[in-house]
Amino acid sequence: MANTLQAKKRVRRNAKREDINKARRSRIRTYVKKVELAVEAGNADEAKVALKEAQPELMRGVTKGVLHKKTASRKVSRLAKRVKALG
């Protein structure tokens, strides 16, 4: 258990940040899922719109430290490739 005041403060801060990061990660997954569902349904227009919404959300995750930059780029690239294949 944390002994010093600073260590106790870090425990409290870490718990708060964990909740914030969980929510952010969940939000990103929701946006990605919308794109994937549109692609599976074969709805090109809906998939393009969903991708445009998901892309900034993924990059926001990078700036907030939830995702690594290359991970987000890879996800965007693969989603865009699938959307483009719909035509």
Side-chain angles (χ1 to χ4, degrees), residues 8-75:
K8 289 176 182 175
K9 183 178 177 181
R10 293 292 278 193
V11 168
R12 289 194 309 270
R13 202 265 343 236
N14 289 346
K16 267 190 239 176
R17 293 307 308 170
E18 182 185 8
D19 291 340
I20 293 167
N21 288 340
K22 260 189 211 173
R24 195 166 274 132
R25 224 180 350 259
S26 173
R27 184 178 162 90
I28 290 169
R29 287 185 186 133
T30 301
Y31 277 93
V32 170
K33 192 177 282 186
K34 282 181 188 175
V35 179
E36 289 173 344
L37 289 173
V39 168
E40 286 174 18
N43 193 338
D45 295 333
E46 195 177 310
K48 285 178 186 173
V49 171
L51 179 63
K52 279 190 184 252
E53 291 173 354
Q55 192 168 358
E57 200 62 40
L58 279 158
M59 292 309 158
R60 196 170 297 121
V62 171
T63 61
K64 301 298 183 182
V66 176
L67 291 174
H68 192 274
K69 186 177 181 182
K70 289 188 178 183
T71 303
S73 293
R74 184 178 65 244
K75 286 181 184 289

